């Protein structure tokens, strides 16, 4: 009998929750990270002050503005290769997603997709956020949906957050969460 080496564990999931501003990336991303028990980051927290000032003034970012930001996000993902992680990031264009995948071949994208009017209402109702409603149209104009060769799933952002999270967890092959209520007299 020969001893075979132990099977190497599957790499932990690296997930980017993507979509236009106001689609629910932050809410879904945080809930998904909690469900998967992995670190979470919001790409908005990585923007330099110049990008925030530009967006606050209603000026869309260009690719030159985004390049160092996307590089920092890709580095953050690489730093979580062993633990897995969830990142909420617009990732609107294919080339942005390609940059996020550099050194992170196993990245799964979750595209939260839905109605423009819902997004406009959500963005208008966010107090203190730097993204004005005026930029919603530019986000939809920039958006390039996931292509057939990109690993990921597209989900309607108007579904309940718990339903989205469970659909993504199922897509990733995460174990099902079974919620039980103890019977009277049983230990919790």
């Amino acid at each position: 009998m020969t001893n075979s080496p132990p099977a190497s564990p599957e790499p932990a999931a690296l997930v980017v929750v993507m979509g236009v501003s106001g689609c629910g990336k932050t809410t879904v991303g945080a809930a998904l990270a909690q469900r998967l028990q992995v670190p979470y980051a919001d790409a908005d927290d990585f923007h330099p002050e110049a990008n925030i000032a530009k967006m606050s003034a209603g000026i869309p970012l260009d690719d030159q503005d985004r390049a160092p930001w996307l590089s920092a996000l890709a580095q953050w993902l690489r730093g979580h290769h062993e633990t897995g992680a969830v990142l909420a990031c617009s990732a609107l264009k294919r080339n942005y997603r390609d940059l996020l995948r550099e050194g992170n071949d196993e990245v799964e994208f979750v595209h939260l997709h839905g109605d423009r009017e819902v997004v406009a209402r959500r963005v208008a109702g966010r107090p203190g956020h730097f993204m004005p409603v005026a930029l919603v149209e530019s986000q939809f104009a920039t958006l390039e949906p996931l292509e057939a060769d990109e690993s990921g799933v597209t989900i309607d952002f108007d579904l309940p957050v718990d339903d989205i999270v469970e659909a993504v967890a199922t897509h990733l092959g995460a174990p099902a969460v079974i919620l039980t209520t103890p019977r009277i007299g049983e230990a919790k």
Side-chain angles (χ1 to χ4, degrees):
M1 180 174 174
T2 60
N3 288 334
S4 57
S8 59
E10 288 289 315
L14 291 174
V15 180
V16 176
V17 179
M18 63 169 280
V20 298
S21 184
C23 71
K25 295 180 300 289
T26 300
T27 302
V28 170
L32 181 61
Q34 183 176 14
R35 165 69 173 77
L36 299 176
Q37 298 180 347
V38 297
Y40 168 76
D42 190 315
D44 285 350
D45 297 336
F46 291 72
H47 272 299
E49 286 300 318
N51 285 7
I52 292 171
K54 196 170 182 178
M55 288 183 286
S56 296
I59 303 167
L61 299 179
D62 59 29
D63 288 353
Q64 187 175 352
D65 297 323
R66 288 185 182 94
W69 172 69
L70 289 164
S71 178
L73 297 173
Q75 182 176 349
W76 185 85
L77 286 168
R78 281 191 298 276
H80 290 88
H81 176 79
E82 297 297 321
T83 62
V86 174
L87 174 67
C89 175
S90 54
L92 297 177
K93 287 185 177 182
R94 168 70 188 248
N95 66 320
Y96 302 163
R97 296 187 297 271
D98 289 344
L99 289 170
L100 293 174
R101 271 191 290 269
E102 281 185 5
N104 301 307
D105 293 337
E106 69 284 348
V107 172
E108 287 282 328
F109 289 90
V110 175
H111 178 193
L112 299 179
H113 180 69
D115 187 74
R116 291 173 196 248
E117 288 74 33
V118 172
V119 167
R121 276 195 311 272
R122 287 180 178 184
V123 171
R126 294 192 307 193
H129 194 273
F130 58 80
M131 178 65 78
V133 175
L135 290 184
V136 168
E137 274 308 310
S138 74
Q139 293 255 304
F140 275 100
T142 302
L143 176 64
E144 296 173 0
L146 289 174
E147 294 179 20
D149 65 332
E150 293 185 274
S151 188
V153 62
T154 299
I155 298 178
D156 184 345
F157 62 63
D158 216 14
L159 292 170
V161 172
D162 290 343
D163 291 354
I164 295 171
V165 167
E166 280 311 308
V168 173
T170 299
H171 171 77
L172 296 171
V177 173
I178 300 172
L179 302 174
T180 60
T181 305
R183 293 183 193 158
I184 295 174
E186 288 183 348
K188 291 184 181 180

